[in-house]
Amino acid sequence: IQQQTIPLALDGHDILASSQTGSGKTLAYLLPTITQIVNTGGKALVLTPTRELTMQVSETINKMGRKVAVSGVSIIGGEPFFKQTSKLKAKPNIIVGTPGRMLDHLMRKTIKFDDFRFLILDEMDSMLDMGMKKQLDQILNYMPKERQVLMFSATVPGHILEISHKYMKSPKRITIGSATKPAPEVEQQFLKMSQSEKYKELGSQLTSKEGTAIVFVTTKRGADKLTGRLRDDGHKADVIHGGLNQHKRSKVIAGFRAEKTRVLVATDVAARGLDINHIKFVFNYDLPMAAEDYLHRIGRT
């Protein structure tokens, strides 16, 4: 994805790209965007569907941009406005955010997009699935008409193609691999059993294997309950779901990233974009509602 995207992006083309989860698309859009900011000026807006992905992209920008004086900030819900406003006053080159909070800042006039020449829409299919189209339309009204748009999506169904024509000018299409198939390196196993046997099987799997694991469940309540049981049985487990405040969510991810926690019990807030290179196992304790969510979940390994 990087090989095909970077030259086209550096030439100024709008791009509609789809690739498998874990294929390296974050650098595919950040490298050419940072290069163009350094060479020709301007600023960039990156929109993502989740707080975790937003923070991860922002961290990557600041790691890469240090040597070339390019900085990024994350703008997400669950954080105080005054804290974000002071970050924005530092005039970062790249703002990464979730659409809802970005729109809140635009309404309050704490952000202006006058010199934002680059727009990146990451995980576009997920943003639409989460009902963010209206917010995206509103945000685009604040952007300059002359801009470069890079849109990344795991799949490109008809409604995304339709939107791409509305948001972009003659976009170049890039498709890497099949977004409807798992990465070939991921080994999958299917275990059939009754509901009452699941917890015992999960325990024996965790005990017999070495390495960190994410255990996916469907509900917040189910996640809390399962985490409590695992802790009672001596596992270093923590939980992440949409019911936690942002400080707690960040703390949980940081602890898991640093391997202070071995087992992360999660709802699908952790299914997309989370890049932690030591994850050995993904357990689908509850099956997801959609097939593509399954692919994203197992792509965390």
Coordinates of all heavy atoms in Angstrom, one line a residue, residues 6 15 29 43 49 52 87 104 132 142 144 156 168 204 211 231 268 273 294:
I6 N 2.3 6.3 -2.0 CA 3.2 7.4 -1.8 C 3.6 8.2 -3.0 O 3.4 9.5 -3.0 CB 4.5 7.0 -1.0 CG1 4.1 6.6 0.4 CG2 5.6 8.1 -1.0 CD1 5.2 5.9 1.2
I15 N -6.7 10.2 -3.6 CA -6.6 8.7 -3.6 C -7.7 8.0 -2.9 O -8.0 8.5 -1.7 CB -5.2 8.3 -3.1 CG1 -4.1 8.8 -4.0 CG2 -5.1 6.8 -2.8 CD1 -2.7 8.6 -3.4
Y29 N -0.2 7.2 4.2 CA -0.7 8.6 4.1 C 0.2 9.6 4.9 O 0.3 10.8 4.5 CB -2.2 8.7 4.4 CG -2.6 8.4 5.8 CD1 -2.3 9.2 6.9 CD2 -3.4 7.3 6.1 CE1 -2.8 8.9 8.2 CE2 -3.8 7.0 7.4 CZ -3.5 7.8 8.4 OH -4.0 7.5 9.7
K43 N -1.3 22.7 6.1 CA -1.6 21.8 7.2 C -2.5 20.7 6.8 O -3.0 20.7 5.7 CB -2.2 22.6 8.3 CG -1.2 23.7 8.9 CD -1.9 24.4 10.1 CE -0.9 25.4 10.7 NZ -1.4 26.1 11.8
P49 N -12.3 7.0 13.1 CA -13.6 6.7 13.8 C -13.5 6.6 15.3 O -14.4 6.7 16.0 CB -14.0 5.3 13.1 CG -12.8 4.7 12.7 CD -11.8 5.8 12.3
E52 N -9.0 5.7 20.2 CA -7.7 5.0 20.3 C -6.9 5.1 19.0 O -5.7 5.3 19.0 CB -8.0 3.5 20.5 CG -8.2 3.2 22.0 CD -9.6 3.7 22.5 OE1 -10.5 3.8 21.7 OE2 -9.6 4.1 23.7
K87 N -3.7 23.1 23.3 CA -2.9 22.4 22.3 C -3.0 23.0 20.9 O -2.1 23.1 20.2 CB -3.4 20.9 22.2 CG -3.0 20.0 23.4 CD -3.0 18.5 23.1 CE -4.4 18.0 23.1 NZ -4.5 16.5 22.9
D104 N -17.5 20.0 17.1 CA -17.7 20.8 18.3 C -16.8 22.0 18.3 O -17.2 23.1 18.6 CB -17.5 20.0 19.6 CG -18.6 19.0 19.8 OD1 -19.7 19.1 19.2 OD2 -18.4 18.0 20.6
M132 N -21.4 8.6 10.9 CA -20.7 9.9 11.0 C -20.8 10.7 9.7 O -20.1 11.7 9.5 CB -19.2 9.6 11.3 CG -19.0 9.0 12.7 SD -17.3 8.6 13.0 CE -17.4 8.0 14.7
Y142 N -16.1 23.4 5.9 CA -15.2 24.3 6.6 C -13.8 24.2 5.9 O -12.9 25.1 6.2 CB -15.0 24.0 8.1 CG -16.2 24.4 8.9 CD1 -17.2 23.5 9.2 CD2 -16.3 25.6 9.5 CE1 -18.3 23.8 10.0 CE2 -17.4 26.0 10.3 CZ -18.4 25.0 10.5 OH -19.4 25.4 11.3
P144 N -10.9 24.3 2.8 CA -10.7 25.0 1.5 C -11.2 24.1 0.4 O -11.0 22.9 0.4 CB -9.2 25.2 1.5 CG -8.7 25.1 2.9 CD -9.6 24.1 3.6
V156 N -14.7 -1.1 -0.2 CA -15.2 0.1 -1.0 C -16.5 -0.3 -1.6 O -16.7 -0.5 -2.9 CB -14.2 0.5 -2.1 CG1 -14.7 1.8 -2.8 CG2 -12.8 0.8 -1.5
M168 N -14.0 14.1 -3.6 CA -12.7 14.0 -4.3 C -12.7 14.4 -5.8 O -13.8 14.3 -6.4 CB -12.1 12.6 -4.1 CG -12.1 12.1 -2.7 SD -11.8 10.3 -2.6 CE -10.1 10.3 -2.4
S204 N -8.2 -22.5 30.0 CA -7.2 -23.5 29.7 C -6.3 -23.1 28.5 O -5.1 -23.3 28.4 CB -7.8 -24.9 29.4 OG -8.6 -24.9 28.2
G211 N 2.3 -15.5 25.9 CA 2.2 -14.3 25.1 C 0.9 -13.6 25.4 O 0.0 -14.1 26.0
R231 N -9.5 -12.2 36.5 CA -8.7 -11.7 37.6 C -8.8 -12.6 38.8 O -7.8 -12.9 39.5 CB -9.1 -10.3 38.0 CG -8.6 -9.2 37.0 CD -9.2 -7.9 37.4 NE -8.7 -6.8 36.5 CZ -9.3 -5.6 36.5 NH1 -10.3 -5.3 37.2 NH2 -8.8 -4.7 35.7
D268 N -15.7 -4.1 20.6 CA -15.1 -3.7 19.3 C -14.5 -2.3 19.2 O -14.0 -2.0 18.1 CB -16.2 -3.9 18.2 CG -16.3 -5.4 17.8 OD1 -15.3 -6.1 17.8 OD2 -17.4 -5.9 17.5
G273 N -7.5 -0.7 13.9 CA -6.4 0.3 14.0 C -5.5 0.1 15.1 O -4.4 0.7 15.1
Y294 N -15.0 -9.3 12.3 CA -14.1 -10.5 12.6 C -12.7 -10.3 12.0 O -11.7 -10.5 12.7 CB -14.8 -11.7 12.1 CG -14.0 -13.0 12.2 CD1 -13.8 -13.7 13.4 CD2 -13.2 -13.5 11.1 CE1 -13.0 -14.8 13.6 CE2 -12.4 -14.6 11.2 CZ -12.3 -15.2 12.5 OH -11.5 -16.4 12.6

